[in-house]
Amino acid sequence: MLDSSDQENLLEVNNIEVIYNHVILVLKGVSLSVPKGGITALLGGNGAGKTTTLKAISNLLASERGEVTKGNILYRGERVAESNPAALVKKGVIQVMEGRHCFEHLTVEENLLTGAYTRSDGNAAIKRDLEMVYDYFPRLRERRRSQAGYTSGGEQQMVAMGRALMSRPETILLDEPSMGLAPQLVEQIFEIVKAVNEGEGVTFLLAEQNTNVALRYAHYGYILENGRVVMDGPAASLRENPDVKEFYLGMSDEGRKSFRDVRSYRRRKRWLA
Ligand SMILES: Nc1ncnc2c1ncn2[C@@H]1O[C@H](COP(=O)(O)OP(=O)(O)OP(=O)(O)O)[C@@H](O)[C@H]1O
Ligand SMILES: [Mg+2]
């Protein structure tokens, strides 16, 4: 858990704008802070801009013809734009991509070992960390010799997270870990996030459509809509917020509406009054 002496922000995203293909404006001034040792959630529906924000941080936008055109992103006070993704991994920032992306023809263990490629601290340390990963993911120990392509979705998510841990990261950017997984497995994955956060002190920024589970495990949350942060706060207070309850925690019959709908509805009401 965070205590008050531990509030240093590792990552600062300052008012960034992201444009794809020179014309498509996707992020319209997003700001957020990620405190060291915390779990921060980036929430929002399809196309809100969560993945784009994570890719902007890990400097992966160029390969998508995307570009940060305004604002800046600082990791430990240094601009990430000046490091390529591999250099960022060395600085301690690693992204676990949406959709897991294992090397399907390699075994589970070989996949995990690919995560150690930026390290230079020798085989003994790498072996020790492999055991550390297996302690967090006992299922992967059982499956260590299986070809990753034949493992289940949940196991592949574990492989992707375990591989990230093998780089000995300070911060993991975790994109949509719940995607396509049964509720029980989602819970299991988040329990592991919590255990790694508490046990290894790894800082997490995780993108999730599953607001309910994310707000139970995160310390702080940002809600993105249409490329803007529409609300942020400590997870406990977001969970109690009536708008969040109605629009994101499935406590409304009409499915998910957006804050924009509420605002225009309120405007409409004023107009009628
Ligand atoms: N490479 C790209 N080129 C053009 N537009 C893109 C590209 N990638 C994403 N977009 C657009 O940017 C917007 C934000 O997408 P993004 O993937 O960041 O959303 P998201 O919040 O991660 O959504 P999801 O929950 O569905 O993963 C969407 O409108 C999407 O269509
Ligand atoms: Mg996404």
Side-chain angles (χ1 to χ4, degrees):
M1 263 317 276
L2 283 177
D3 64 43
S4 53
S5 60
D6 210 12
Q7 286 294 341
E8 172 201 352
N9 285 331
L10 275 183
L11 175 68
E12 302 263 13
V13 174
N14 299 312
N15 204 19
I16 60 167
E17 193 175 275
V18 168
I19 295 182
Y20 283 112
N21 292 317
H22 301 292
V23 287
I24 309 166
L25 177 63
V26 167
L27 297 189
K28 304 159 185 170
V30 168
S31 296
L32 54 92
S33 307
V34 175
K36 184 174 166 57
I39 301 176
T40 304
L42 194 53
L43 306 164
N46 276 124
K50 304 180 297 297
T51 298
T52 301
T53 305
L54 295 190
K55 285 186 173 168
I57 295 166
S58 52
N59 238 326
L60 291 168
L61 280 179
S63 57
E64 308 252 352
R65 295 177 55 75
E67 198 186 349
V68 178
T69 49
K70 274 194 196 149
N72 60 58
I73 303 170
L74 304 176
Y75 190 77
R76 290 188 166 283
E78 291 174 30
R79 279 175 184 256
V80 301
E82 282 151 24
S83 309
N84 61 35
L88 270 176
V89 173
K90 285 209 155 187
K91 282 189 184 163
V93 187
I94 191 153
Q95 179 157 354
V96 178
M97 306 271 248
E98 196 172 36
R100 356 288 188 202
H101 299 284
C102 296
F103 298 106
E104 297 190 352
H105 56 289
L106 299 182
T107 65
V108 164
E109 185 154 302
E110 287 163 345
N111 265 277
L112 294 176
L113 289 171
T114 63
Y117 79 102
T118 52
R119 291 174 55 164
S120 50
D121 52 351
N123 284 336
I126 289 172
K127 240 185 129 66
R128 222 171 24 245
D129 286 347
L130 196 55
E131 289 307 312
M132 177 266 293
V133 169
Y134 287 143
D135 288 344
Y136 283 109
F137 300 94
R139 185 73 192 140
L140 295 186
R141 182 178 275 124
E142 290 166 28
R143 301 286 267 146
R144 66 204 292 174
R145 307 268 170 249
S146 308
Q147 197 175 324
Y150 294 120
T151 61
S152 70
E155 288 162 353
Q156 290 186 16
Q157 180 64 47
M158 294 179 190
V159 170
M161 289 165 62
R163 191 175 59 204
L165 271 180
M166 287 302 292
S167 73
R168 271 275 165 207
E170 181 173 50
T171 298
I172 296 182
L173 310 173
L174 184 54
D175 199 354
E176 212 85 56
S178 79
M179 195 163 72
L181 302 183
Q184 204 191 343
L185 212 49
V186 171
E187 211 64 45
Q188 210 181 321
I189 294 283
F190 274 83
E191 281 294 332
I192 295 169
V193 167
K194 181 173 181 232
V196 168
N197 170 253
E198 290 175 357
E200 308 300 314
V202 172
T203 299
F204 282 88
L205 175 60
L206 56 91
E208 256 306 335
Q209 285 200 22
N210 189 335
T211 311
N212 189 346
V213 73
L215 285 182
R216 277 190 287 110
Y217 287 91
H219 306 122
Y220 200 91
Y222 291 86
I223 300 179
L224 270 184
E225 264 190 22
N226 199 19
R228 288 194 174 90
V229 175
V230 291
M231 189 182 278
D232 68 286
S237 71
L238 289 180
R239 272 201 312 269
E240 295 307 316
N241 180 289
D243 287 343
V244 175
K245 275 188 176 168
E246 184 175 359
F247 303 123
Y248 288 98
L249 297 178
M251 296 176 187
S252 138
D253 300 333
E254 301 164 55
R256 189 163 61 204
K257 287 188 283 183
S258 83
F259 286 131
R260 269 180 313 151
D261 295 338
V262 199
R263 279 202 295 272
S264 60
Y265 172 65
R266 285 192 184 132
R267 270 201 296 278
R268 221 162 43 237
K269 249 183 24 186
R270 254 198 324 270
W271 173 253
L272 292 170

